[in-house]
Amino acid sequence: MASNKVDDTIGEVSSRDRQGMRTGYTTGSTAAAAAKAATLALLSGKPVEDVTVWLPVKQTAEFKPLNWQIGPDRVSCAVVKDGGDDPDATHGALIYATVEWDSHTPGLTIGGGEGVGTVTRLGLGPGLEPGGPAINPVPRKMLNYSVREALETGKLAPDLDQWLAKQGLKVSISVPGGAEIARKTLNPRLGILEGISILGTTGIVRPYSTSAWRASVIQAIGVAAANGCREVILATGGRSEKYAMKLRPDLPEVAFVEMGIFTGAALKQSLRHGMSRAGLCGMIGKFSKLAQGHFQTHVAGNQVDLVFLAEIAGRCGASREVQEAIQGANTARHFADIAEAHNLQPVFQLISELVAEQSYRYVEGAMEIEAIMVDFDGRVLGRATSHGR
């Protein structure tokens, strides 16, 4: 039975709220819903209009499967990935589940098809070994639970495990267009190729939540460690990461991590993985915050302190007039322009030294820290190392 969808890669989802208030569902929840629906249809020979799945947050969610293909031994259907108001690259993608009897392989087998990435590097976490599909542990549990729940409605045998030991069931998750979507994510850097990851720890996507971003930073450091790196370069953004790679051509690509606003979390994770050295590469905005010991540098959490920057300029010989101009600056970049115009280049070196010292103190001297400040053209403005005395 076919649905009225024309495009098998993009589904229709509710319109987004500019206020960013509507929650959505993870790829893990979406895949579990598709798998449960396909299993129910395999048992009955008929499509289902909607399906309910349990989420890790101990609540249920309802999904509407579509694009059915039903045969006697094999069923496929899709569910639209609805990320709510979160700016999610997978929003609107169709997550397909194909469920089929498999008498040759006992038990319940979960795998990945087209558009689900293949793991090629160590360090991504349990259950994500090289050569396997990028289906994370919690989504894998959700898939297992949802499919078994569907099988139990069919009352196939008093003991489902015993029954599955004789008549196996194969579940394959696919995402048409997933390889293209993955190019907008960190998957290629993490060694997950040709598709997206099936993700989610709660089952719910909260609008503009930073949890997934932070998790990807933690995962990237784990990949670096598993691939033999004992030094990582933590960049505050994509542009600074690109410049850092030019400054450190001796390091492999996997050693570079775009940490964004999560400096503290990145440093702690580097410690956990036994790194001996961490380099921080960033621009004046983030570095001005790190120099004060703020290790979560989101603009909403702490804004650029222009009074602090004026004091730094004063320590480097700025006149009272210039300090007042700095206090009235619009942005950190405006501060940098004022400093350059008045030949106050030493402020950048001093800020870099403070970043190195604050970071070294943050890790309690357990790692050598280097701080490299660059401008928007990649020019090094300041560079300092702190490794104890």
Side-chain angles (χ1 to χ4, degrees):
M1 178 178 178
S3 79
N4 58 359
K5 297 290 181 185
V6 176
D7 189 336
D8 69 349
T9 65
I10 301 295
E12 295 177 4
V13 290
S14 303
S15 60
R16 290 186 160 184
D17 179 352
R18 289 188 181 183
Q19 298 299 315
M21 298 301 293
R22 191 169 64 83
T23 59
Y25 298 101
T26 62
T27 47
S29 296
T30 312
K36 182 175 181 180
T39 304
L40 289 169
L42 183 63
L43 294 174
S44 68
K46 299 176 182 178
V48 295
E49 289 190 9
D50 50 59
V51 65
T52 300
V53 298
W54 274 98
L55 305 179
V57 288
K58 297 183 179 178
Q59 66 186 58
T60 60
E62 190 174 280
F63 300 84
K64 291 190 176 298
L66 48 93
N67 289 8
W68 290 95
Q69 291 185 353
I70 299 177
D73 299 310
R74 186 176 186 271
V75 170
S76 174
C77 69
V79 172
V80 180
K81 165 62 167 66
D82 184 355
D85 290 311
D86 194 65
D88 182 354
T90 61
H91 180 71
L94 289 178
I95 311 293
Y96 279 81
T98 300
V99 178
E100 56 191 314
W101 301 122
D102 184 1
S103 58
H104 301 292
T105 307
L108 176 58
T109 305
I110 296 172
E114 175 195 359
V116 172
T118 299
V119 176
T120 65
R121 287 178 176 158
L122 294 168
L124 286 171
L128 292 168
E129 282 74 30
I135 302 176
N136 278 27
V138 173
R140 192 175 286 274
K141 288 180 182 178
M142 291 179 69
L143 282 160
N144 192 297
Y145 179 86
S146 297
V147 170
R148 289 178 65 91
E149 190 178 40
L151 289 172
E152 285 169 356
T153 66
K155 298 179 180 177
L156 301 170
D159 188 322
L160 183 58
D161 288 319
Q162 246 182 15
W163 188 87
L164 281 172
K166 298 176 182 177
Q167 175 62 71
L169 188 72
K170 179 180 178 183
V171 178
S172 180
I173 305 301
S174 59
V175 187
E180 183 63 31
I181 295 171
R183 295 190 183 100
K184 303 173 186 176
T185 73
L186 288 176
N187 274 15
R189 176 65 60 80
L190 296 173
I192 299 171
L193 304 183
E194 298 302 319
I196 66 168
S197 300
I198 304 302
L199 300 170
T201 54
T202 65
I204 292 176
V205 174
R206 301 195 181 280
Y208 299 95
S209 167
T210 58
S211 58
W213 182 9
R214 184 181 184 279
S216 68
V217 172
I218 299 302
Q219 201 171 45
I221 294 168
V223 170
N227 285 274
C229 296
R230 289 297 169 262
E231 176 181 5
V232 286
I233 304 296
L234 308 171
T236 58
R239 185 178 293 185
S240 55
E241 183 187 55
K242 180 179 71 173
Y243 296 147
M245 287 179 172
K246 291 181 179 179
L247 291 169
R248 293 297 307 273
D250 56 307
L251 294 176
E253 182 185 49
V254 74
F256 296 86
V257 177
E258 187 181 335
M259 67 177 174
I261 63 174
F262 301 107
T263 308
L267 286 172
K268 286 180 179 178
Q269 189 68 6
S270 299
L271 269 182
R272 289 189 191 102
H273 283 286
M275 298 292 175
S276 59
R277 194 172 195 271
L280 307 180
C281 185
M283 300 183 188
I284 183 60
K286 296 290 196 303
F287 262 41
S288 69
K289 299 175 185 180
L290 292 172
Q292 292 181 280
H294 300 312
F295 286 92
Q296 210 276 22
T297 56
H298 195 285
V299 66
N302 46 79
Q303 296 184 343
V304 171
D305 188 341
L306 292 166
V307 172
F308 166 74
L309 291 177
E311 291 173 355
I312 292 292
R315 289 168 61 180
C316 294
S319 66
R320 174 58 57 187
E321 183 182 18
V322 172
Q323 290 180 56
E324 289 176 355
I326 289 170
Q327 289 187 37
N330 296 320
T331 62
R333 189 171 184 177
H334 187 192
F335 154 76
D337 291 341
I338 294 171
E340 296 250 30
H342 291 85
N343 295 314
L344 291 170
Q345 283 83 3
V347 299
F348 305 121
Q349 179 61 29
L350 178 54
I351 291 170
S352 299
E353 290 171 2
L354 289 172
V355 170
E357 290 171 13
Q358 291 279 14
S359 302
Y360 186 74
R361 190 176 301 125
Y362 186 80
V363 299
E364 299 180 343
M367 283 192 301
E368 182 176 294
I369 302 290
E370 182 179 26
I372 307 170
M373 188 195 298
V374 294
D375 66 11
F376 283 82
D377 297 316
R379 181 168 55 107
V380 175
L381 299 176
R383 192 166 187 170
T385 301
S386 187
H387 44 68
R389 295 176 175 83

